[in-house]
Amino acid sequence: MRILGKEKKFVSGSGFGLIECENGFVRIDPVRESIMRLRVSASGEFPDSVSPMLVDNFKPQGGVEVIEGSRMVVTGSMAVWYRSGKVSFLGKNGRHLCNSSPEGGFTIGEGRTGCRLSMPKKSHYYGFGEKGGWLDKRETRMMMWNLDMFDPNARGNASQGNTDVDPMYASIPFFIQYRAGRCHGIFIHSDQKSFFDLGMDDNETFGMTVENDVLDMFVIDGPEISDVVRLYTELTGRMDLPPLWALGYHQCRWSYPNEKRVREIAKLFRKNEIPCDAIWLDIDYMDEYKSFTFNNKAFPKPKKLSKDLMNDGFRMIVNLDPALADDPDWEIAQKGKKKDYFFREGKDFYIGKVWPGDALFPDFRNRKAADWFADLGCKFADEHGLSGLWFDMNEPADMSNPWDCPVHLAHGNLYAHYQLAAMYDAWHKSHPDSRHFFLTRSATAGTQRYASIWTGDIRSRFGHLETAIPMCCNLGLSGMPFNGSDVGGFADNCDGELFARWMQYGAFTPFFRNHSSTGTSDQEPWAYGKKVLNICREYTALRYRLLPYIYSAFHQAVETGAPIQRPMIYSFPDDERFVNEARQYMFGDHILVAPVTNRGVDWKRVRFPEGKWVDFHTGKIIEGPDNMKVDAPLKKMPVYIRGGAPIPMWPAAQSTEAIDRKILRVECYPGGNAQTVLYEDDGETRAYERGDWAETVLETREDDEKRILIRRPAEGKYRVKGRKIEVVFVGCRSKRSEVTLVANGRRRKRKPGIGSKRNEISVKVPDNDEGFEIELRY
Ligand code: GLC
């Protein structure tokens, strides 16, 4: 590897800047106000590369100015400064973002390019997609190469400093550097293998290398983490609004063997009163592991099954693998061959090994092949009443050559991305007014536009539960907010204590699905006796009650890319206690969640941010900032609400279908003034794109004499006719408090209801277009 070396000339191109150096060239393109694209190549060739990771309408915007005398290229509000082979990046108002390490910034070698940056003391690094280990990636090494990694994180507990198994199924070469509350991000635009060394070779250097001739990076100014995530997702896109049911609880296992068992599982959910919205069929539903087929003996009438399930509020979802059985008698495989849709190695179709044995891999780079697969997928879903699809093994996984399968080498990290892009288009073409729900195992930058993700084959161990938190937080910071881990753990047998703790955590994660491997003991909520069953019932019900709040958090993700499960540092960037905090996190704007991730303990140490925090279970107020050991017996996961926050809720229900939307409960917590923007729509169709949505600001005010909830008039067209709003003030000082409704310029006293558990006072009022205020006087 050579270093790029000293600058020789600064040139203004048409709309870009070019720096000619001793051993190559740097090209700088403005992208947005706060995003700059910088490319390095030995030859000075910069192929016009816009990969599918970027949004379709990706276009450079803004001007560029080359100031040779001061050795600077300025784009919008950002600048690159190149002097004596050293590079510095400047953000808005000349803020210094980062600079090259003392040996020099860019490196060029045989088919590899790289960058070495200084790692300032007290800098911290987040993002990088799906990675094991702790939240801050300082002092780790990582590789980006999508891999079927059974048993990830097996080495132990993240908090014990293990770097864990790497790489994993999804690769997102994007990170955020944080230092003293100030941030910027870097996205390495590459679908090839890339390597990150964060202070391992040298603790003051951050090294990045890609297996490309051109290093292509986007530098994103902050200064907040949220700014970086917003801008990064402007580049790579954001998720679509999911159907509401996808936010419910999902039950999966490898595999429910037949129709009878599936019906029995559905019945047991309703009998045990555990809310559930979807039952998933894993690979054994197929006829000899052939995608797009059902085993007729085990599942004689899949369409009838899905219909019956739907009548009872359950969706049916199946696993769909990309590699297709190489069976001379199977029409689909033969047709694919005839059409030349499978990947060839030389003259012959490449044959790998997946569940059916010998398998052919659709060449998803060929759009026709991808569309063919996607059409088959949509037809299969429609014919059998499947509400969503689960895309597994799409790294692609090839058991005969896990690391360097030629299909993978040819597609880079884009195999799943191509597959899902085609699926997305096909689904929306054939279901113009419906939303899609796809779950994927593999992904790269931008895949959030098409699918949600889960973290693969994690084990049933407390250490893996603990690791799931930073992993999901970092996925959220990497543009993939709709994520989750297998509740209860996938491999190994789960026990009651671990299961209860995982269900409590899962209820507060974006994607909430229980899944377990073949050969493990039953992992349904009733498998561990009454005590655990009751805990599962309470927390799943709570999940459903919180859906209006959770759905609004999803809407934020759709609009701004904001994660749903957020590391504390995202929400409290000035509190340095949180730079590597992943034992607790924020779920949306106002809920602090502190899962118990150790066996046999009945307490949890919680770090409270500044302000007041209200114990969700008791209504007790805690004054932050503070670090405190709190009570957490098995039946309780510590959950706190930001002081003053209004939390919109629904009545509990057994499925999203069964929710009584005529009642909206707004719980107002004491301890401050806060705001929630409630987003609503029908939760199912795309009518929201035609204005059928509503956004309502709920606001609280508090002083020594009174607390007020203000419900501002809703924006948008969506309304629930005849709805009542139940306003609940939690933690009231006196039961004799007076409640007044202020609406239409009139003040009317209201007789409140009284709840004893959390010292509550409640009042029900009709929902209306004008908005209202409810005043509680002490
Ligand atoms: C893979 C998936 C897992 C699934 C199994 C069988 O290991 O990660 O979730 O159950 O394949 O399909």
Side-chain angles (χ1 to χ4, degrees):
M1 294 276 258
R2 286 165 292 146
I3 58 167
L4 191 65
K6 286 199 180 113
E7 61 285 357
K8 294 204 299 206
K9 204 156 89 190
F10 284 69
V11 188
S12 270
S14 62
F16 62 90
L18 195 69
I19 310 171
E20 191 186 332
C21 304
E22 280 168 351
N23 295 318
F25 297 80
V26 182
R27 175 180 160 143
I28 294 147
D29 290 76
V31 177
R32 299 276 184 284
E33 253 281 288
S34 301
I35 311 177
M36 164 192 284
R37 185 181 196 180
L38 182 143
R39 284 175 282 176
V40 177
S41 94
S43 64
E45 306 261 315
F46 294 96
D48 199 12
S49 56
V50 177
S51 82
M53 292 176 175
L54 303 173
V55 289
D56 285 349
N57 62 359
F58 167 77
K59 263 198 221 89
Q61 278 172 10
V64 64
E65 199 188 334
V66 176
I67 309 172
E68 171 131 34
S70 53
R71 295 174 153 67
M72 237 183 190
V73 178
V74 181
T75 76
S77 60
M78 299 178 77
V80 181
W81 189 75
Y82 201 94
R83 193 179 287 175
S84 308
K86 309 271 161 54
V87 65
S88 287
F89 295 95
L90 306 180
K92 255 182 256 125
N93 305 324
R95 182 171 75 96
H96 173 259
L97 304 182
C98 52
N99 56 269
S100 46
S101 63
E103 324 76 85
F106 301 112
T107 53
I108 301 193
E110 301 301 293
R112 284 187 162 212
T113 43
C115 178
R116 282 188 303 222
L117 297 174
S118 285
M119 270 178 86
K121 286 207 173 69
K122 296 199 172 163
S123 54
H124 306 275
Y125 299 86
Y126 312 118
F128 297 102
E130 183 185 58
K131 293 291 172 195
W134 213 227
L135 183 73
D136 177 9
K137 295 297 183 234
R138 210 188 156 92
E139 277 163 44
T140 54
R141 252 188 215 111
M142 283 168 285
M143 175 184 186
M144 298 295 167
W145 190 239
N146 294 346
L147 205 70
D148 175 9
M149 183 57 82
F150 180 75
D151 189 16
N153 316 308
R155 287 185 206 143
N157 291 11
S159 56
Q160 288 159 12
N162 290 302
T163 49
D164 295 278
V165 172
D166 185 74
M168 282 175 59
Y169 317 93
S171 302
I172 306 180
F174 161 72
F175 66 90
I176 299 162
Q177 181 189 305
Y178 167 101
R179 189 165 172 239
R182 299 309 221 197
C183 305
H184 67 271
I186 293 184
F187 168 44
I188 301 290
H189 182 213
S190 167
D191 57 31
Q192 294 301 310
K193 285 180 186 150
S194 56
F195 304 86
F196 294 81
D197 182 312
L198 284 78
M200 292 292 272
D201 275 353
D202 160 7
N203 66 11
E204 288 176 3
T205 304
F206 181 154
M208 298 171 246
T209 314
V210 293
E211 293 193 347
N212 293 84
D213 292 331
V214 177
L215 173 70
D216 186 357
M217 59 200 262
F218 290 81
V219 182
I220 303 170
D221 196 2
E224 303 276 327
I225 302 181
S226 54
D227 296 324
V228 180
V229 176
R230 179 173 42 77
L231 290 163
Y232 167 71
T233 52
E234 243 174 57
L235 265 187
T236 59
R238 299 184 180 130
M239 65 180 287
D240 273 7
L241 258 184
L244 179 70
W245 62 262
L247 275 53
Y249 171 76
H250 301 250
Q251 182 65 44
C252 186
R253 116 149 256 128
W254 178 11
S255 299
Y256 292 126
N258 51 39
E259 200 174 305
K260 185 164 160 266
R261 180 68 178 147
V262 173
R263 289 180 186 277
E264 193 174 273
I265 292 288
K267 242 193 223 127
L268 284 166
F269 269 100
R270 297 300 177 241
K271 177 168 167 249
N272 287 300
E273 295 182 353
I274 305 287
C276 179
D277 260 78
I279 298 185
W280 295 51
L281 308 183
D282 205 340
I283 49 175
D284 300 293
Y285 76 87
M286 287 182 259
D287 176 23
E288 296 181 326
Y289 303 121
K290 292 195 187 82
S291 299
F292 317 114
T293 68
F294 268 91
N295 172 337
N296 293 334
K297 275 212 190 86
F299 291 89
K301 289 185 182 155
K303 175 125 203 193
K304 167 110 180 41
L305 174 64
S306 65
K307 195 162 169 240
D308 293 346
L309 288 177
M310 184 82 105
N311 286 338
D312 208 4
F314 298 98
R315 313 274 166 158
M316 194 162 100
I317 298 174
V318 304
N319 183 321
L320 200 60
D321 289 334
L324 305 183
D326 181 25
D327 179 337
D329 299 326
W330 185 33
E331 211 187 274
I332 291 183
Q334 292 320 309
K335 172 139 188 226
K337 276 187 172 173
K338 220 184 265 155
K339 294 270 186 191
D340 205 13
Y341 287 157
F342 297 118
F343 182 83
R344 282 180 189 271
E345 196 183 25
K347 283 202 315 297
D348 301 324
F349 289 117
Y350 174 75
I351 310 285
K353 285 247 179 310
V354 198
W355 304 121
D358 287 352
L360 297 148
F361 292 79
D363 189 332
F364 289 132
R365 293 169 307 170
N366 169 359
R367 188 64 206 217
K368 280 200 180 126
D371 286 345
W372 170 70
F373 182 93
D375 285 340
L376 284 169
C378 288
K379 279 196 195 108
F380 181 62
D382 291 345
E383 263 163 40
H384 300 100
L386 309 172
S387 302
L389 292 167
W390 168 20
F391 297 94
D392 193 11
M393 309 295 270
N394 51 357
E395 293 72 23
D398 175 2
M399 293 160 193
S400 67
N401 189 356
W403 274 88
D404 288 316
C405 155
V407 189
H408 194 177
L409 293 176
H411 284 76
N413 284 327
L414 287 167
Y415 195 72
H417 191 84
Y418 281 124
Q419 175 195 31
L420 294 159
M423 277 307 314
Y424 177 91
D425 288 346
W427 185 276
H428 289 291
K429 210 156 140 204
S430 54
H431 305 78
D433 199 32
S434 99
R435 306 183 191 184
H436 72 286
F437 175 73
F438 299 153
L439 180 71
T440 184
R441 191 171 72 176
S442 184
T444 191
T447 311
Q448 67 269 14
R449 307 200 292 272
Y450 311 125
S452 51
I453 189 168
W454 96 105
T455 59
D457 299 345
I458 196 160
R459 284 185 178 250
S460 300
R461 292 181 190 168
F462 271 94
H464 285 207
L465 165 58
E466 184 188 48
T467 310
I469 305 173
M471 193 183 287
C472 290
C473 284
N474 274 321
L475 266 168
L477 293 179
S478 311
M480 291 213 81
F482 199 0
N483 63 55
S485 59
D486 283 345
V487 169
F490 175 74
D492 297 343
N493 290 338
C494 190
D495 61 73
E497 183 184 355
L498 176 59
F499 187 72
R501 292 305 194 188
W502 214 317
M503 280 292 273
Q504 291 169 333
Y505 163 62
F508 288 83
T509 58
F511 178 54
F512 182 24
R513 184 188 73 155
N514 174 349
H515 181 41
S516 54
S517 181
T518 181
T520 59
S521 55
D522 283 1
Q523 200 167 288
E524 289 73 30
W526 48 84
Y528 305 98
K530 218 167 155 192
K531 188 170 162 197
V532 172
L533 179 64
N534 288 339
I535 294 171
C536 295
R537 185 179 300 123
E538 184 188 331
Y539 280 82
T540 8
L542 182 54
R543 163 80 172 200
Y544 278 70
R545 288 167 58 210
L546 283 170
L547 280 174
Y549 170 85
I550 299 173
Y551 194 56
S552 301
F554 269 79
H555 184 251
Q556 288 179 12
V558 170
E559 293 286 301
T560 68
I564 296 156
Q565 177 172 355
R566 306 172 181 167
M568 298 301 291
I569 196 70
Y570 177 94
S571 306
F572 304 95
D574 297 324
D575 192 333
E576 298 242 356
R577 289 176 305 164
F578 295 140
V579 292
N580 200 10
E581 177 59 77
R583 288 185 180 87
Q584 61 185 67
Y585 61 92
M586 294 299 292
F587 191 49
D589 289 336
H590 299 313
I591 304 187
L592 191 165
V593 184
V596 175
T597 55
N598 291 304
R599 182 176 293 288
V601 299
D602 57 2
W603 52 270
K604 172 90 185 177
R605 197 166 281 287
V606 182
R607 288 174 165 149
F608 292 95
E610 186 160 10
K612 288 186 175 140
W613 294 87
V614 187
D615 184 327
F616 174 80
H617 304 281
T618 62
K620 202 180 131 210
I621 299 181
I622 289 144
E623 194 90 42
D626 203 352
N627 297 344
M628 216 188 266
K629 199 167 155 186
V630 303
D631 240 19
L634 188 61
K635 63 178 184 344
K636 177 176 172 184
M637 175 174 74
V639 172
Y640 298 88
I641 313 288
R642 190 195 290 269
I647 305 289
M649 297 169 89
W650 274 324
Q654 292 304 297
S655 71
T656 52
E657 205 71 20
I659 289 169
D660 179 1
R661 295 206 194 183
K662 295 252 185 255
I663 297 179
L664 180 76
R665 182 180 165 103
V666 179
E667 293 199 345
C668 301
Y669 288 81
N673 301 340
Q675 198 189 68
T676 295
V677 180
L678 169 68
Y679 173 82
E680 298 172 282
D681 60 26
D682 67 18
E684 195 186 334
T685 71
R686 299 180 81 93
Y688 67 89
E689 288 174 355
R690 304 182 290 274
D692 213 0
W693 51 270
E695 238 176 56
T696 315
V697 174
L698 302 165
E699 231 175 276
T700 57
R701 297 276 161 76
E702 183 178 293
D703 62 31
D704 279 349
E705 289 160 21
K706 57 179 189 277
R707 285 167 60 188
I708 301 178
L709 171 79
I710 305 164
R711 179 218 184 274
R712 301 225 177 266
E715 276 181 43
K717 289 195 303 210
Y718 178 78
R719 297 287 181 275
V720 182
K721 277 206 195 89
R723 175 161 84 178
K724 287 233 156 67
I725 298 191
E726 183 184 23
V727 178
V728 180
F729 290 97
V730 177
C732 292
R733 281 193 224 149
S734 144
K735 291 274 140 73
R736 287 186 302 277
S737 313
E738 252 179 41
V739 178
T740 313
L741 165 70
V742 187
N744 298 323
R746 283 172 55 200
R747 297 178 64 87
R748 274 169 292 176
K749 287 244 156 62
R750 286 290 179 135
K751 193 171 158 18
I754 291 171
S756 58
K757 200 174 149 223
R758 296 182 304 174
N759 231 0
E760 293 171 359
I761 284 202
S762 66
V763 50
K764 257 194 208 151
V765 293
D767 197 4
N768 66 27
D769 271 0
E770 283 79 46
F772 56 75
E773 290 185 27
I774 303 276
E775 197 181 282
L776 170 82
R777 270 185 186 275
Y778 301 127

